[in-house]
Amino acid sequence: MDSQTSKSSQPSQSPQSPHTFQVDLRGLVDLLSHHLYSSPKVYLRELLQNAVDAITARRAEQPDAPARVRLHTQAGALRVEDTGVGLTEADVHTLLATIGRSSKRTDQIADGIQEARSDFLGQFGIGLLACFVVAERIRVVSRSARTPDAAVVEWTASDDGSYTVRTLPHEARPEPGTTVHLVARAGAGEWLAPERVLTLARDFGSLLPYDVRVGDEAVTDLPAPWDRSYPSPANRRVALARHCHELFGFTPLDSIELNVPLAGIRGVAYVLPSAVSPAQRATHRVHLKGMLLTERAEQLLPDWAFFVRCVLDTDSLRPTASRESLYEDETLAAVREALGERIRSWLTGLAAGDPQRLAAFLSVHHLGVKSLARHDQEMLRTMLPWLPFETTDGQLSLEEFAQRHAVVHFTRTVEEYRQVAPIASAQGVGVINGGYTYDSELVEALPSVRPGTVVAELDADTVTAHLDAVDPAEELALSGFLAAARAKLDPLGCDVVLRAFHPLSVPALHLDDRAARHEQARAEAEEQADDLWAGILGSLRGSAPRARLVLNHLSPLVRRISSLGDPELIGTATESLYGQALLMAQRPLRPADTALLNRAFIGLLEWATHGEDDN
């Protein structure tokens, strides 16, 4: 038994013939329609692509050959005729009957014209297979331009995977070229309707270099709008704005030429008329050698250029297998950098020669320029007189603000700015709100492009240091009042200090810093956690300073409150000042803060009505 087992486990030494994969055509078509292609409409692009490539191949050998593509529609059917290189019977068996084979990779077709290789649109051998997404039957009638005496060949295929090939007399196709007949599959007739075919043909093929028509309607519209001559720059802007509105549905603020000859790129970028989020992915329209590749190219421009939408034609970028997006490679990276440089040059050109248009642009898209200036010192230097920032002196550029103030103070958050802005302004301290996107980074980069500029972050301690201290004797006299106020706010994690500052209309100022806010958040989490987490959070307790309520000793209201003899009324008044200071700083209110405001309001009403009863 052991010997039998040993023999049976040994590999067979007899030669075996190789097997070929069996392809379920219907399953493959389902895969294409649901996973590779975004829409059945790509069938028409494949037909146009095959026709254009066939003409390109013929013209490589016969430069004067006709270059026509004609599409004819009728009920549930479509016929596409081209004057391309055509096929022999051997070509049909080799190319059309073998899934994955491409005429662009076949010596029988491409031999002798490798120098024209870059002129082909197709890079993948899927070809007519995509037409089965909308058709149940495909019929191809072709006559070779390379072998004029060869018979006309007819290839007919069904979506069940079967096909037939037969030869026809020359009269069936008098001139070299190919005719493709499609018969719609059930439920797909709308894709072969005349209006749909014309719309798709114009969408995909408006920039193709050959004469393409649907019936008598022209498809191509050359030269492209950005390659046309115009009487004046103003006329050009108007024409491109019209083109943008037809293509994208908006009238642009401006248009930017995108011309990169080394990468074979020509096109235009349209500046959006309204602000968009930097997180929103910009999508662009890309043509490959005249054929529309995608309307949703996302990686074409640097991330900072989210304020434009592009349309361009290229002959250097690689498409993915579906030919509906761009392949991320070194070429695309180089093109992205070159296009970003074009947009950067446009901005610097506006700064130098057209400040009015630049101001209009920045009023909408300053965020995009700030994003660029973070990483580009030259752009920051150029935009210094133009980029707007919120400051205690109003909306100013960094250049104007630095000219007014020896020290450029800034805050890192909007909340911190709202806390300190009124007081700092009254003390003559200029502050920039660095809490908006990119602003604090740009302020900190200011000395690198403006030597000698002093930049300093303004925090709660710095603000407190700028406020005048109260005479020790006067503060001692108010010790009882301060003790009552501190006792009232201690449960909220807030200290009370007394200072003298302007304006007098601000009775109290709420100050904290990030460390104090973090400690406050930790304490709140500890209160709500179970025993285990409370212990963990308790061990993380820091020695960070607490928030402070700075009472203004110069305020008549604070002086009246400090003279009260009732500790309970002092506590209620202190809570009211605390709540008012939070509201003035536009800080988000915690549940405890909201409860405090309600309690203080009701308490003051009770004291007011209690006084009326006594009277």
Side-chain angles (χ1 to χ4, degrees), residues 363-515:
S363 67
V364 179
H365 295 298
H366 57 273
L367 200 58
V369 179
K370 286 181 178 181
S371 176
L372 170 60
R374 288 184 305 155
H375 308 294
D376 189 324
Q377 285 193 356
E378 189 57 38
M379 179 57 64
L380 177 58
R381 184 179 293 106
T382 301
M383 291 294 129
L384 272 181
W386 308 103
L387 286 175
F389 287 77
E390 181 181 356
T391 79
T392 50
D393 295 347
Q395 286 287 116
L396 292 178
S397 69
L398 288 180
E399 179 66 29
E400 290 177 290
F401 190 85
Q403 289 176 357
R404 295 185 182 189
H405 299 278
V407 178
V408 177
H409 288 100
F410 73 99
T411 63
R412 291 192 182 276
T413 68
V414 175
E415 290 80 6
E416 290 172 348
Y417 177 80
R418 288 170 177 166
Q419 287 178 11
V420 305
I423 307 305
S425 179
Q427 306 302 314
V429 178
V431 185
I432 295 176
N433 184 355
Y436 296 118
T437 307
Y438 311 133
D439 282 9
S440 60
E441 296 175 70
L442 293 177
V443 174
E444 289 181 299
L446 189 56
S448 66
V449 296
R450 196 177 188 275
T453 303
V454 179
V455 173
E457 182 177 356
L458 189 66
D459 55 18
D461 290 332
T462 306
V463 174
T464 305
H466 277 83
L467 305 180
D468 294 332
V470 178
D471 181 85
E474 293 187 43
E475 188 167 358
L476 181 61
L478 297 176
S479 58
F481 159 69
L482 293 175
R486 287 166 183 153
K488 199 66 176 179
L489 297 186
D490 184 68
L492 296 172
C494 183
D495 290 332
V496 177
V497 297
L498 189 66
R499 293 288 187 274
F501 55 87
H502 291 274
L504 302 183
S505 58
V506 178
L509 179 66
H510 182 272
L511 293 177
D512 62 5
D513 54 22
R514 274 157 290 169

Side-chain angles (χ1 to χ4, degrees), residues 214-234:
V214 177
D216 295 328
E217 298 286 340
V219 169
T220 52
D221 184 21
L222 296 176
W226 51 84
D227 284 330
R228 297 172 189 171
S229 298
Y230 297 95
S232 68

Side-chain angles (χ1 to χ4, degrees), residues 124-139:
F124 306 90
I126 297 174
L128 287 175
L129 190 61
C131 295
F132 280 120
V133 173
V134 298
E136 66 176 8
R137 187 169 71 255
I138 302 174
R139 176 171 168 256

Side-chain angles (χ1 to χ4, degrees), residues 544-579:
R546 304 203 302 171
R548 276 161 286 178
L549 181 69
V550 183
L551 299 179
N552 188 358
H553 186 54
L554 300 181
S555 167
L557 176 60
V558 172
R559 287 180 177 273
R560 286 196 295 271
I561 294 174
S562 65
S563 65
L564 294 173
D566 189 331
E568 185 175 350
L569 182 55
I570 290 176
T572 300
T574 302
E575 288 182 330
S576 301
L577 291 174
Y578 175 84

